[in-house]
Amino acid sequence: MKKVKFKKVVITFSMATIVLCLFSFVSVDKGWDVPAAAASVKNPVNSDATSIAAGKVLFTKTCKLCHGATGKGVGKMAEPSDFTLKTFKTQTDGAIFYKINTGHGKMPAYKTKIKDDNEKWNLVNYLRTL
């Protein structure tokens, strides 16, 4: 009888330990807060054919691997943003620019990787077309 009770305790303890270990790998993302000042920044680059083409080149070189060729978030990284969703489309250009610059979670910061701000604004313009 004691052996059976001990076995149940060991199994229960083992299961609880496994569950706790699994939860330790889950990150809680409280969202990507964009400061109001950054979100209100206006895009200084006209969204014309030249800007969009330049943004597409940069997207293909820099973003496509993770976000997929169509921006639907089907690239090689887990759970990237889907640029075709309304939740993305309703963001301001300034918010998108801020996110490109600062990065978040698995998204790297491109503030120093893409030094020319106009290139990042071209990327914003291109993302709007997806």
Side-chain angles (χ1 to χ4, degrees):
M1 178 91 161
K2 283 187 175 183
K3 255 188 174 180
V4 172
K5 191 173 185 178
F6 178 74
K7 196 173 186 179
K8 283 183 179 179
V9 169
V10 169
I11 291 172
T12 302
F13 179 75
S14 298
M15 294 296 284
T17 302
I18 290 169
V19 169
L20 287 174
C21 286
L22 290 174
F23 276 114
S24 71
F25 291 106
V26 176
S27 67
V28 177
D29 184 5
K30 295 180 180 174
W32 198 341
D33 293 327
V34 176
S40 67
V41 173
K42 300 294 179 207
N43 187 338
V45 177
N46 289 330
S47 184
D48 57 23
T50 302
S51 171
I52 292 168
K56 183 176 183 176
V57 169
L58 187 58
F59 178 86
T60 301
K61 177 180 159 187
T62 310
C63 314
K64 179 181 167 182
L65 179 66
C66 297
H67 294 283
T70 61
K72 288 187 175 272
V74 292
K76 294 192 176 206
M77 298 298 289
E79 300 180 28
S81 295
D82 182 343
F83 300 130
T84 65
L85 295 177
K86 185 178 180 181
T87 54
F88 177 80
K89 300 278 188 185
T90 57
Q91 296 179 72
T92 65
D93 286 357
I96 296 167
F97 182 87
Y98 174 85
K99 290 178 177 186
I100 292 168
N101 264 339
T102 62
H104 177 73
K106 292 179 183 180
M107 165 78 180
Y110 284 94
K111 186 172 188 161
T112 58
K113 293 177 183 179
I114 304 171
K115 295 185 188 319
D116 184 356
D117 283 350
N118 282 346
E119 287 186 32
K120 289 179 269 192
W121 286 115
N122 288 334
L123 181 56
V124 171
N125 289 337
Y126 174 70
L127 292 176
R128 291 281 183 216
T129 69
L130 298 175

